[in-house]
Amino acid sequence: MMDNLNQVKESALCIGWAMSDITPDGAVSLWGQYYERISEYVQSPLKATAFAIESTNDDGSKEQAIMVSMDLLYINKALQESLRDRVKNQIFDFNVKKLFINSTHTHSGPDPDVTEETRNVILNGAAEAVISAWKQRKPGGISRELGYAVVGHNRRVRYADGTTEMYGSTERADFIGMEGSANPGVDMLFTWDTNKKLTGIVLNVSCPAQVTEAKYYVSSDYWGEVRKQIRKRFSEDVFVLPQCGAAGDLSPRDLPRGYKSGEPNMWDIPGIVEIGERLIRTVDLAYPQAFQNIQTKAVFKHLVKEIALPIRKFSKAEYEEALEFMNEVYSREPKDPNSPETAWNRFLQEIKDNEKIMEFGPWDNKNTDFGIVKKKERLVKHYENQDNDPLFRMEFHVIRLGDVAFATNPFELFSDFGFMIMGRSRAKQTFVVQLSCDTCGYLATQRAIEGGGYSALVNYVGPEGGYKLVNETVKLIDELWV
């Protein structure tokens, strides 16, 4: 079948960008760990960045999209709907169903739902960015490039007995390798004005922004460094829209090498500076070719769909084992909840001790009684409800922009599922955008579930749902190339 560029007329593009601050004032509870961390200062501000695009066909019909990226651990469906409600009466000529949000998965920002005040700071900032980006759209062009930078590494460590641990020790004699691969590809979409001046870059990197996941300061993590480097290299007027590709089993740390090779500390500021520099070098290498390949007309189509994925089903034996473990731990709990011997207080004390003696994380141990019970409690609750509604309903977006496809999902999607989508996609480049439109935790592969470990013990959607997500995404991409 011939490529759609030979069958569908391209349309002129109008593009708008804006960015707003969504950092709450004062100390905040940082979201992303079992234990509370209160921020002591702001290392880098949290941002909401909006990228608006529109085309008009010969018959007067329009295609539209507004992509919003937020420096948050997660966004949920309610937050996205609230943002749509806030902007719909101020941008009447935009279909708000074609707006979607993704999060960068920083662990150094607040829970967007922790207080009404925090939620309003986030929504007000995001709405400001969306409205401004839409109102500022002007004729422009795009170009796509693919580069490579080492950012994400697999974080699931395999042992000879078939088990897997997230952030497990690689110094054990029974360590036999990492469970999966990583994705060093950096997908880039450059945007330009009519004078061929760079206006923005969509950067899709398969690694969550969690270098600073256990620190005590507000941070947009390595994306704050990328923004700083882009402004220094180009202009204060050049925007960056961060997207996290499929990276549920990835993190910024090279576990087998540890820090023996002298790599900067990937648990603190040196790590975010290093990653920022790696990504700006990738952009620099891509820029000359991108400048030569600007398109002011392109095929632009945007599909929004809701699908239902089967949830992961747990067996009665798994349920009973979880109950037995929980009851055994509970039976040992002191009557006084403030006792230092409770599972929770032992967990907290180990963190405090580790923070004093360990230079690198993780400082918490999710294989303690408390860490395991947290997962077992979720399994029990899931099992007791799994037959009431066996489906997870999700919104997702697929966009064609020239030779590029964007495809969203609400998961911390294991990288193999991302590879399946990219490999089967008809687009020349496919930007898989996880943690979009909602949040539904890890979506692990069958191999990961068999190995176990924190990120594969209890998942709302399992491999069967993952394969359906892949198939539905590829099907929608195909529709845009027919």
Side-chain angles (χ1 to χ4, degrees):
M1 187 176 291
M2 295 177 64
D3 191 276
N4 194 36
L5 285 174
N6 297 322
Q7 301 178 41
V8 178
K9 187 165 182 175
E10 299 172 336
S11 301
L13 303 173
C14 284
I15 293 167
W17 285 93
M19 181 174 68
S20 296
D21 198 299
I22 56 171
T23 312
D25 291 332
V28 296
S29 178
L30 302 171
W31 203 243
Q33 300 293 350
Y34 283 162
Y35 57 100
E36 186 171 55
R37 294 168 296 137
I38 302 298
S39 65
E40 298 170 355
Y41 63 96
V42 176
Q43 184 273 328
S44 57
L46 309 176
K47 300 291 185 180
T49 307
F51 168 45
I53 187 164
E54 183 180 45
S55 68
T56 304
N57 301 315
D58 290 342
D59 62 2
S61 62
K62 297 179 183 294
E63 189 55 279
Q64 304 173 326
I66 298 179
M67 306 180 195
V68 184
S69 179
M70 291 193 190
D71 293 326
L72 295 173
L73 181 77
Y74 74 96
I75 62 96
N76 54 32
K77 184 176 181 180
L79 188 73
Q80 181 164 280
E81 288 302 323
S82 293
L83 179 58
R84 287 170 170 170
D85 287 341
R86 288 203 181 204
V87 303
K88 66 183 180 182
N89 292 327
Q90 298 188 63
I91 47 175
F92 297 99
D93 51 347
F94 176 72
N95 176 4
V96 293
K97 289 298 181 184
K98 295 201 170 181
L99 175 155
F100 66 86
I101 312 173
N102 72 271
S103 70
T104 62
H105 205 54
T106 178
H107 285 53
S108 297
D111 177 356
D113 291 322
V114 67
T115 65
E116 186 175 356
E117 180 182 5
T118 298
R119 184 179 176 84
N120 280 333
V121 168
I122 292 167
L123 283 171
N124 289 341
E128 178 185 332
V130 166
I131 294 164
S132 179
W134 184 251
K135 290 184 175 180
Q136 294 187 55
R137 67 196 188 283
K138 298 175 183 176
I142 59 170
S143 52
R144 64 175 180 87
E145 290 294 328
L146 172 65
Y148 294 90
V150 177
V151 180
H153 302 265
N154 196 275
R155 57 178 167 172
R156 290 179 49 85
V157 179
R158 294 177 62 232
Y159 299 108
D161 64 357
T163 62
T164 304
E165 288 185 22
M166 188 171 83
Y167 294 133
S169 171
T170 60
E171 297 177 353
R172 287 169 42 173
D174 60 343
F175 165 55
I176 61 171
M178 307 307 292
E179 182 183 81
S181 58
N183 178 8
V186 179
D187 287 294
M188 295 169 274
L189 183 78
F190 293 77
T191 68
W192 314 83
D193 66 16
T194 52
N195 295 316
K196 294 189 174 182
K197 181 180 180 294
L198 183 66
T199 57
I201 312 171
V202 180
L203 279 176
N204 187 288
V205 179
S206 292
C207 184
Q210 61 182 100
V211 173
T212 63
E213 66 173 284
K215 306 307 287 184
Y216 291 83
Y217 48 72
V218 170
S219 177
S220 52
D221 211 88
Y222 67 79
W223 287 113
E225 186 66 23
V226 170
R227 283 191 281 261
K228 183 170 75 175
Q229 295 288 345
I230 289 290
R231 291 194 297 269
K232 186 184 298 184
R233 169 65 178 82
F234 297 104
S235 162
E236 291 285 337
D237 299 325
V238 175
F239 296 86
V240 176
L241 186 96
Q243 293 177 339
C244 186
D249 49 348
L250 308 182
S251 84
R253 297 162 196 118
D254 186 349
L255 298 181
R257 289 188 177 86
Y259 296 96
K260 292 176 282 192
S261 63
E263 182 180 46
N265 185 349
M266 288 296 168
W267 290 91
D268 210 337
I269 293 170
I272 65 179
V273 172
E274 173 67 21
I275 290 175
E277 291 176 349
R278 291 178 191 177
L279 288 171
I280 195 63
R281 286 196 293 270
T282 305
V283 171
D284 272 336
L285 287 171
Y287 178 85
Q289 191 70 22
F291 183 80
Q292 295 298 321
N293 294 325
I294 300 172
Q295 298 173 264
T296 56
K297 290 186 176 183
V299 177
F300 177 35
K301 294 183 177 181
H302 183 178
L303 300 179
V304 186
K305 187 175 181 181
E306 290 192 1
I307 58 170
L309 303 180
I311 66 171
R312 180 178 172 184
K313 291 292 188 76
F314 292 93
S315 67
K316 185 176 181 181
E318 289 173 309
Y319 169 71
E320 291 174 344
E321 186 278 330
L323 274 179
E324 182 180 358
F325 184 90
M326 289 165 52
N327 290 334
E328 194 279 326
V329 172
Y330 294 155
S331 71
R332 292 188 276 109
E333 285 288 274
K335 292 182 179 179
D336 180 3
N338 295 316
S339 167
E341 296 305 313
T342 66
W344 168 241
N345 285 327
R346 284 186 283 116
F347 174 76
L348 289 180
Q349 187 60 52
E350 184 175 356
I351 293 167
K352 292 175 183 177
D353 293 342
N354 287 340
E355 287 178 333
K356 293 175 183 176
I357 62 175
M358 293 170 57
E359 184 178 1
F360 309 116
W363 291 272
D364 65 326
N365 181 1
K366 292 185 174 66
N367 288 324
T368 60
D369 287 348
F370 173 78
I372 297 174
V373 161
K374 286 283 286 187
K375 285 293 186 180
K376 299 297 186 183
E377 287 175 341
R378 285 185 58 192
L379 190 155
V380 167
K381 183 177 180 181
H382 183 97
Y383 178 85
E384 291 174 347
N385 290 283
Q386 66 185 14
D387 293 326
N388 296 333
D389 189 353
L391 299 174
F392 170 66
R393 293 163 182 82
M394 55 163 277
E395 173 186 322
F396 76 115
H397 296 242
V398 172
I399 293 172
R400 178 179 180 177
L401 192 53
D403 293 331
V404 168
F406 292 90
T408 73
N409 70 82
F411 302 100
E412 291 186 67
L413 189 69
F414 273 42
S415 53
D416 278 356
F417 290 117
F419 286 134
M420 292 178 209
I421 293 169
M422 288 187 287
R424 293 170 55 188
S425 170
R426 294 187 64 188
K428 292 184 178 178
Q429 275 181 255
T430 302
F431 294 51
V432 176
V433 191
Q434 71 169 26
L435 294 166
S436 298
C437 302
D438 200 355
T439 184
C440 193
Y442 294 101
L443 205 171
T445 60
Q446 184 63 37
R447 174 174 54 180
I449 286 174
E450 290 168 1
Y454 171 77
S455 52
L457 281 176
V458 184
N459 314 99
Y460 194 72
V461 175
E464 182 185 358
Y467 294 129
K468 182 171 182 181
L469 172 68
V470 169
N471 290 335
E472 290 290 335
T473 300
V474 171
K475 179 182 175 183
L476 233 60
I477 293 172
D478 281 349
E479 288 183 24
L480 300 182
W481 261 264
V482 173

